[in-house]
Amino acid sequence: MSRDSSPHQRQLSSVFASLGDEGRAKRVEDRIVSGITAGILLDGDRLPSEAEMASALGVATMTAREALIALRTRGLVKTTRGREGGTFITLPQGDRASLLHERLTAMSRVELRDLGIHYVAIAATAAELAAKAADDQDLEILRRILDPKTAGNGSPGTIVGDFLLEMAALSQSARLTREHVRLHTDFGSLLSLAHADDTFDAKAIALCDEILGALVTADSAKARSLVGDYVGAGVAWLIAAQAENATKNNQSNKLRPSAT
């Protein structure tokens, strides 16, 4: 994976990475939805053609077509004809959080913790390797990501996400970087719910500053530990959000008139 590609380009590539021999329409649909919930695919973005999508994902064209039909049924894409036609994402920004909360509610606590364990294993290893390999130029790139004067104003968690993705690239392991990008699309999208909490986001950025300090001093153990602290805090926030969602759903069910 090229170091010249931006964090967004890396994540976009992960959305359309091959699904392998077992790819089916539901898996294609889920991959596109994950791209939406991760903020990689935005309202109005144009998707590849059916043939291009099938080729990229390693599935039959009919499978890609079935997935797009399902996405249209859910109101997540629309297809127009003509020279400027194509299939476009139709999810307003405000509805992305609703999709994420639906996914979070559907997950068990065991699934959530397991996903966090997988993510931290990859991200922490990347931090450890980056602490050993990063040079002054690499560190300057990370500083610019965290600098309020140069940081982007994207969706919640963009700064921290871009920092971790760039740090993974500094590990000098293409395979590790690809896996980190894939997991960031999956788990990172859920973490964006936590980052919408300004207090959590500020603490996470402060942790990234500490991680950068560990990279500067080549303290690989500290860098690894700090990534674990970030993911642990994220999982704790999401579990609390799950409990809050469950309470709200129970209250809503109690208020709903019973069928007679």
Side-chain angles (χ1 to χ4, degrees):
M1 183 173 296
S2 173
R3 279 285 313 282
D4 294 332
S5 60
S6 69
H8 176 76
Q9 288 172 321
R10 295 176 199 149
Q11 293 177 80
L12 188 60
S13 295
S14 76
V15 173
F16 297 106
S18 175
L19 286 169
D21 294 336
E22 297 180 358
R24 293 294 184 269
K26 186 62 171 67
R27 292 186 65 196
V28 174
E29 178 187 349
D30 290 345
R31 181 67 70 80
I32 301 301
V33 172
S34 73
I36 295 171
T37 56
I40 302 166
L41 298 173
L42 303 176
D43 186 46
D45 280 357
R46 183 175 184 168
L47 295 179
S49 68
E50 290 178 357
E52 291 169 337
M53 187 181 300
S55 176
L57 295 171
V59 298
T61 301
M62 181 59 71
T63 300
R65 184 173 302 154
E66 291 174 4
L68 291 175
I69 290 172
L71 290 166
R72 278 195 291 271
T73 300
R74 296 175 64 177
L76 298 180
V77 302
K78 67 177 181 180
T79 301
T80 59
R81 306 300 177 187
R83 178 176 296 181
E84 301 300 324
T87 299
F88 302 87
I89 301 297
T90 57
L91 182 77
Q93 183 68 23
D95 288 344
R96 177 173 166 260
S98 296
L99 273 178
L100 285 168
H101 276 293
E102 287 176 12
R103 182 187 171 206
L104 180 62
T105 300
M107 294 179 70
S108 69
R109 188 169 295 188
V110 172
E111 287 178 305
L112 184 57
R113 289 189 185 280
D114 187 55
L115 188 56
I117 289 170
H118 190 181
Y119 184 84
V120 76
I122 298 300
T125 300
E128 182 178 357
L129 294 174
K132 298 174 181 178
D135 58 26
D136 290 342
Q137 184 178 358
D138 296 329
L139 296 173
E140 182 57 31
I141 293 173
L142 294 176
R143 287 192 187 93
R144 289 182 61 83
I145 291 174
L146 297 178
D147 188 341
K149 297 179 181 178
T150 55
N153 295 315
S155 58
T158 297
I159 293 175
V160 174
D162 285 355
F163 178 88
L164 294 176
L165 286 167
E166 188 61 41
M167 185 178 67
L170 300 183
S171 70
Q172 297 187 4
S173 168
R175 183 171 296 182
L176 184 68
T177 302
R178 284 194 298 271
E179 181 65 6
H180 186 279
V181 170
R182 187 188 70 79
L183 283 169
H184 184 76
T185 302
D186 192 16
F187 185 62
S189 62
L190 288 172
L191 286 177
S192 69
L193 289 172
H195 281 283
D197 177 341
D198 291 339
T199 300
F200 179 92
D201 190 54
K203 289 181 178 179
I205 293 174
L207 270 176
C208 286
D209 277 321
E210 291 188 56
I211 294 171
L212 177 58
L215 297 183
V216 170
T217 59
D219 190 339
S220 57
K222 184 176 181 180
R224 185 182 187 94
S225 177
L226 288 169
V227 171
D229 291 344
Y230 164 66
V231 178
V235 170
W237 193 100
L238 291 171
I239 288 175
Q242 275 185 328
E244 183 178 350
N245 288 343
T247 299
K248 289 179 179 178
N249 289 337
N250 288 336
Q251 291 174 343
S252 177
N253 290 336
K254 289 178 181 179
L255 293 173
R256 186 176 299 121
S258 60
T260 57

